Amino acid sequence: MSNLAEINKNIEAIALEVVTLEADDISALGNILKLVEELEENSRGINHSSFLTLIPALKGYIEKLALRETDDAGPLDEGVRCLQSIYRCLSNQAVFGEDISHLLERLGFRCLEAEDGERATATPEQVVVEDGGEGIEVVAETETSPMGEELGEDDREIISDFVMESLEGLGTIEVSLVDLEQDPGNLETINAIFRPFHTIKGVSAFIELKKINQLAHSAENLLDKARNGEIRIEGTVIDLILESVDMLKKMIQGVRSGLEKGISLDNGVDITPLKERIDEVNSLADQMGEKRVGEILVQKGAITTDDLEEGLEKQKEETDKKIGEILLEEKRVDSKEVISALRDQKRFGARQIDLQVKVDTKKLDNLVDLTGELVIAQSMLRQNQWIRAGNDQKLLQNLGQLTQITSSLQTTAMSMRMVPIRNTFQKMLRVVRDLTKNSGKEAWLEMSGEETEIDRNVVEELYDPMVHMIRNAVDHGIEPPDEREKAGKRRRGHIHLKAYHRGGNIIVEIEDDGRGLDRERIVERAKSGNLITDEAKLTDSEIYNLIFHAGFSTAKRVTDISGRGVGMDVVKKAIERLRGRVEINSRPGEGSTFVISLPLTLAIIEGMLVRVERERYIIPALAILESFRPDKSQCFTVEGKGEMIMSRGNLIPLIRLHGIFGVNGGYINPWEGLVVAVEHEGGQIGLLLDELLGKEEVVIKSLGEGLKDIKGVAGGAILGDGRVGLILDMAGIFDIAKGN
């Protein structure tokens, strides 16, 4: 007998993993498979057929569990207990006389009849022949290749899922790590970072991506020490984990590329330098051990305090071992007690989470569209002239109930698209961190309103504009530390990122306490670029909005961050695509505030339904300032400017909607009709129309390729009577008003 100590160590480790195994825990299954493979390697000198046959049977069953071909972990637990029984017989030089054929059948291990009457047992990994005695002969053995072209469909699917889920998990790690830097003692955040690393480590072991497994394992160990209080979270640790995230992303993207191109899944990334740095930090950490497990064992009376102290002392010498392993080796505690303590620890640290199901985004969007169609159909039904003329109370009651159900269904469908803006906000923490590190400036980012929910499509589109504005806040807004001190400010600049709901819209504010916008320099650059001729006619808001022109920059020199005049025009275009707007408030020497107003969702628009003759239009609520029937004294004609209307003490241009869209009829005199004052980019106009029909939430419909470029129209909506109302585009309406 050889390697008995190592075999015992393997079996106990497998038993500990199996008893705490939870359904669908792929990472744990990966760990178990790796341990079973180590056991197989250490058992090559063992001359016991049942023992050697049981190991590949367990490997095959673990793969079935991982592939979700079964969810019954019972046979796995029974197989491990059988291994323990065989090992006890081997170590005591006793005979193991039990028939394990029934267990092998439960594990799905195929038994074949050989031509010479001997019994053959086959697995996907190897073929073995049992001769009836205690000997065993390996007839054939195969090894999987890490080449994309040689993988089967099942393997490709598993690896593809691994790539997708790992990249998603790394994204959450990145967000949580930067958040942790703000609150190093937050155990929940540390655990949130630890879990994705643990999953990547386990699954990569299962699918034999060794370098990914090794790096994830090292990073996981670092975090394990952090959550056990052995390592203090500070800049070096944060940097190491962020570098690990970046390198893992690169390797996993290499796996995806290899899978698609049918080449090696290893893209040649060298993990050695980074892994050595992580391992060095791990080795220097104070070895405090798993205090919680040790304390539970003491509390249960399984060990004494002296046992725990001696175990912790030994752990300082054997830093790669956990306290449970050491206590088992020292025979101070039974494995069952350690397993029980681990279960208690798991229960103590567990937190209840809502069950989540991943849904294809196309299916989700289709559900929202169909719900919108249902709302339209229900509204058309209610407005049917025969139903409105009838007096069937039961029918009206049923229609009322249908309206409530439809409204609830629409609200639920829309809420499924809503996600907190938190992830996008927290990504800005790393942006600020990297920018200040590269620029030599000092700044910190404060966030509020991260729980504010917004349409998934909106939040995805919001990321790039926010990055551009954060970059500008650091590079243009926040002054160098010495300059801030001379101005009587703190050396460290402050950027406040805030989100909240207002009037059915989401408002995102980016405020900094830097130098503010330089009005005179903006005017100077605008004149040199022929954007303006006379700034006297422009308000501060209109001047500040000049920075959104393509190619516009006030930077005296180009930096790695900004200065090329690219960015703020991207911000404007992106926000307008989202049917939103940006406002700028600046205080010289005190800072600037950029206010982004966005609709909660891109699928539904809230607006005012208005009538011009027989046609109806929807004016976005976001643009409306007020609606009123003007007095004759409020109406003017100004030379060179045309018709003007007095609104809130200001004269604004009056635009006749029937003139824009060529609708015959309508009121000729403004004081006979109604005026809706709207704003866009700091400018205001009054829209003359016939009637306000009321506030509406309508499902936006595209007008198709042939009508998509009509100026002043953003889309259409099917109204309650089945007719189409046009949704007005304020940017286009203002261009028409200016004669563009």
Side-chain angles (χ1 to χ4, degrees):
M1 302 297 172
S2 61
N3 290 336
L4 281 181
E6 289 298 317
I7 289 171
N8 179 46
K9 184 178 175 182
N10 290 147
I11 293 174
E12 288 302 315
I14 293 168
L16 287 172
E17 288 280 354
V18 169
V19 294
T20 56
L21 179 66
E22 295 182 354
D24 297 329
D25 191 343
I26 300 295
S27 62
L29 288 170
N31 289 339
I32 296 170
L33 182 61
K34 188 175 180 180
L35 290 168
V36 172
E37 288 173 344
E38 289 179 8
L39 174 63
E40 186 176 40
E41 181 67 28
N42 290 327
S43 302
R44 292 191 181 277
I46 299 296
N47 187 25
H48 194 288
S49 61
S50 294
F51 190 80
L52 296 179
T53 305
L54 188 54
I55 292 173
L58 289 172
K59 285 175 64 179
Y61 198 76
I62 292 167
E63 290 179 355
K64 285 185 177 182
L65 287 168
L67 292 171
R68 294 181 174 84
E69 294 177 5
T70 180
D71 58 0
D72 182 10
L76 180 60
D77 190 38
E78 186 179 342
V80 173
R81 289 202 301 270
C82 186
L83 278 179
Q84 290 174 312
S85 298
I86 296 173
Y87 170 77
R88 283 194 292 271
C89 291
L90 288 171
S91 60
N92 295 324
Q93 298 184 352
V95 176
F96 180 77
E98 294 182 24
D99 181 9
I100 67 168
S101 58
H102 177 66
L103 173 58
L104 292 175
E105 287 178 11
R106 290 194 67 198
L107 291 169
F109 206 64
R110 294 179 291 129
C111 294
L112 308 175
E113 290 296 327
E115 291 182 0
D116 59 0
E118 295 174 336
R119 191 173 53 154
T121 313
T123 74
E125 294 82 15
Q126 60 180 211
V127 178
V128 297
V129 177
E130 186 176 353
D131 61 9
E134 291 301 310
I136 188 165
E137 178 187 0
V138 177
V139 177
E141 187 168 325
T142 61
E143 294 182 0
T144 59
S145 170
M147 299 295 291
E149 61 184 358
E150 298 176 3
L151 296 170
E153 281 304 312
D154 288 344
D155 290 333
R156 292 179 68 85
E157 185 176 347
I158 292 171
I159 294 174
S160 179
D161 288 344
F162 165 74
V163 168
M164 180 185 69
E165 293 179 5
S166 296
L167 290 176
E168 183 180 330
L170 288 171
T172 65
I173 289 172
E174 194 173 42
V175 168
S176 299
L177 262 174
V178 184
D179 192 30
L180 184 63
E181 195 172 31
Q182 309 295 315
D183 184 10
N186 193 320
L187 186 59
E188 185 176 343
T189 306
I190 296 175
N191 285 330
I193 299 167
F194 178 87
R195 282 189 290 270
F197 270 121
H198 182 68
T199 300
I200 291 171
K201 182 200 74 173
V203 181
S204 61
F206 177 72
I207 57 182
E208 298 182 353
L209 299 173
K210 294 180 180 178
K211 289 204 300 187
I212 292 175
N213 172 260
Q214 290 169 4
L215 181 57
H217 195 180
S218 292
E220 181 200 42
N221 286 342
L222 191 66
L223 283 162
D224 193 37
K225 294 183 185 302
R227 69 178 187 168
N228 291 331
E230 300 169 28
I231 289 178
R232 186 170 59 87
I233 297 294
E234 41 78 37
T236 301
V237 174
I238 296 288
D239 287 342
L240 285 173
I241 300 298
L242 284 174
E243 287 181 47
S244 300
V245 168
D246 292 339
M247 189 167 286
L248 283 170
K249 279 183 180 178
K250 190 173 182 179
M251 288 193 288
I252 292 169
Q253 286 163 353
V255 171
R256 178 166 58 192
S257 178
L259 204 61
E260 293 170 351
K261 298 177 182 178
I263 59 177
S264 173
L265 303 185
D266 183 355
N267 60 355
V269 173
D270 183 9
I271 67 169
T272 305
L274 176 58
K275 187 174 181 300
E276 287 178 351
R277 287 166 56 205
I278 296 174
D279 292 343
E280 183 181 359
V281 173
N282 280 329
S283 66
L284 291 173
D286 292 330
Q287 301 301 317
M288 294 177 65
E290 288 188 7
K291 280 192 169 181
R292 190 177 298 163
V293 171
E295 289 168 358
I296 293 172
L297 288 169
V298 171
Q299 186 178 355
K300 286 176 171 286
I303 60 172
T304 64
T305 305
D306 290 340
D307 290 333
L308 177 58
E309 292 299 327
E310 289 176 19
L312 291 173
E313 284 298 317
K314 186 168 184 180
Q315 192 182 41
K316 292 179 181 179
E317 301 170 4
E318 301 180 38
T319 58
D320 60 328
K321 293 183 180 179
K322 296 185 177 181
I323 190 66
E325 293 179 65
I326 292 173
L327 293 171
L328 283 170
E329 288 177 0
E330 296 287 317
K331 300 190 184 303
R332 297 177 185 271
V333 68
D334 188 82
S335 60
K336 292 181 180 179
E337 297 289 351
V338 176
I339 290 168
S340 175
L342 285 170
R343 283 176 173 159
D344 288 347
Q345 183 192 41
K346 198 169 186 179
R347 280 196 295 270
F348 180 82
R351 61 187 180 97
Q352 192 70 26
I353 59 172
D354 294 332
L355 182 63
Q356 294 183 349
V357 178
K358 290 186 177 179
V359 181
D360 190 313
T361 54
K362 291 182 179 177
K363 292 180 180 178
L364 186 59
D365 290 341
N366 190 41
L367 172 64
V368 173
D369 289 342
L370 289 174
T371 306
E373 297 291 346
L374 178 62
V375 171
I376 292 168
Q378 175 266 333
S379 180
M380 292 170 64
L381 182 63
R382 285 189 64 86
Q383 295 192 34
N384 183 281
Q385 59 178 334
W386 297 105
I387 291 178
R388 295 179 69 178
N391 196 27
D392 188 335
Q393 293 301 314
K394 182 65 175 175
L395 175 60
L396 294 176
Q397 182 180 350
N398 290 341
L399 279 175
Q401 187 176 5
L402 175 63
T403 301
Q404 290 180 345
I405 294 171
T406 305
S407 178
S408 298
L409 179 61
Q410 184 183 33
T411 301
T412 302
M414 293 308 304
S415 69
M416 292 170 67
R417 294 171 59 114
M418 307 297 280
V419 294
I421 202 171
R422 180 194 310 109
N423 279 359
T424 302
F425 268 25
Q426 291 183 329
K427 287 176 183 177
M428 298 303 113
L429 284 166
R430 184 172 185 184
V431 173
V432 172
R433 185 178 187 272
D434 291 346
L435 289 173
T436 52
K437 194 173 183 180
N438 294 333
S439 67
K441 295 183 178 181
E442 297 179 14
W444 65 285
L445 181 65
E446 179 187 0
M447 299 183 299
S448 57
E450 303 101 305
E451 298 301 323
T452 305
E453 291 194 332
I454 189 171
D455 188 291
R456 169 179 51 81
N457 294 331
V458 174
V459 80
E460 288 172 0
E461 293 291 330
L462 188 58
Y463 175 77
D464 283 342
M466 286 180 59
V467 168
H468 283 301
M469 285 193 283
I470 292 291
R471 282 175 174 271
N472 269 21
V474 174
D475 198 41
H476 293 303
I478 302 298
E479 313 93 328
D482 293 343
E483 185 179 326
R484 289 180 61 85
E485 272 191 335
K486 290 178 182 177
K489 298 181 179 180
R490 292 176 298 179
R491 289 179 60 85
R492 196 180 187 195
H494 175 227
I495 301 172
H496 188 187
L497 192 54
K498 179 166 57 173
Y500 55 91
H501 288 143
R502 184 176 70 193
N505 300 293
I506 182 172
I507 310 298
V508 177
E509 293 185 7
I510 302 171
E511 181 181 6
D512 67 73
D513 66 348
R515 56 173 64 97
L517 294 180
D518 189 335
R519 188 183 189 280
E520 298 306 317
R521 188 162 184 78
I522 293 173
V523 169
E524 178 188 330
R525 285 298 177 97
K527 285 182 176 179
S528 65
N530 296 320
L531 294 177
I532 61 172
T533 56
D534 185 4
E535 75 274 14
K537 297 179 180 179
L538 300 177
T539 65
D540 284 349
S541 178
E542 289 172 327
I543 288 175
Y544 294 148
N545 280 328
L546 291 172
I547 69 172
F548 292 117
H549 280 79
F552 189 92
S553 176
T554 60
K556 296 179 181 178
R557 62 185 179 89
V558 175
T559 70
D560 291 337
I561 301 172
S562 61
R564 294 179 174 84
V566 180
M568 296 309 286
D569 62 315
V570 174
V571 170
K572 180 184 176 184
K573 290 175 183 175
I575 298 302
E576 286 182 348
R577 276 200 308 272
L578 297 172
R579 302 198 313 274
R581 68 168 186 258
V582 188
E583 297 176 359
I584 305 174
N585 298 311
S586 184
R587 304 162 304 281
E590 296 180 13
S592 303
T593 304
F594 288 77
V595 182
I596 304 173
S597 300
L598 295 166
L600 289 178
T601 174
L602 297 180
I604 290 178
I605 188 170
E606 183 181 45
M608 185 69 71
L609 184 64
V610 302
R611 180 181 64 82
V612 177
E613 191 53 24
R614 296 185 60 189
E615 301 299 329
R616 283 169 297 177
Y617 303 92
I618 296 104
I619 302 174
L622 192 64
I624 297 175
L625 294 174
E626 65 171 339
S627 60
F628 59 97
R629 186 181 300 277
D631 189 76
K632 196 171 182 179
S633 61
Q634 293 177 269
C635 306
F636 304 89
T637 300
V638 179
E639 185 178 356
K641 293 187 177 181
E643 291 185 286
M644 306 289 284
I645 196 89
M646 183 67 72
S647 171
R648 299 183 176 183
N650 296 316
L651 278 178
I652 62 175
L654 181 66
I655 306 299
R656 298 172 181 265
L657 278 183
H658 71 269
I660 290 179
F661 295 109
V663 178
N664 294 324
Y667 292 111
I668 302 299
N669 297 316
W671 52 87
E672 294 175 349
L674 290 169
V675 173
V676 174
V678 295
E679 67 172 347
H680 177 71
E681 293 187 353
Q684 298 179 19
I685 59 174
L687 299 177
L688 180 63
L689 45 94
D690 294 347
E691 183 182 5
L692 292 177
L693 299 178
K695 197 174 181 181
E696 292 273 346
E697 279 192 350
V698 295
V699 179
I700 299 170
K701 297 290 183 183
S702 170
L703 297 179
E705 288 296 315
L707 301 174
K708 69 176 184 178
D709 293 325
I710 296 179
K711 184 168 282 191
V713 177
I718 301 175
L719 305 176
D721 59 0
R723 296 176 63 194
V724 174
L726 295 179
I727 300 169
L728 301 186
D729 170 41
M730 287 300 104
I733 295 291
F734 271 71
D735 281 346
I736 293 171
K738 294 175 183 176
N740 297 336

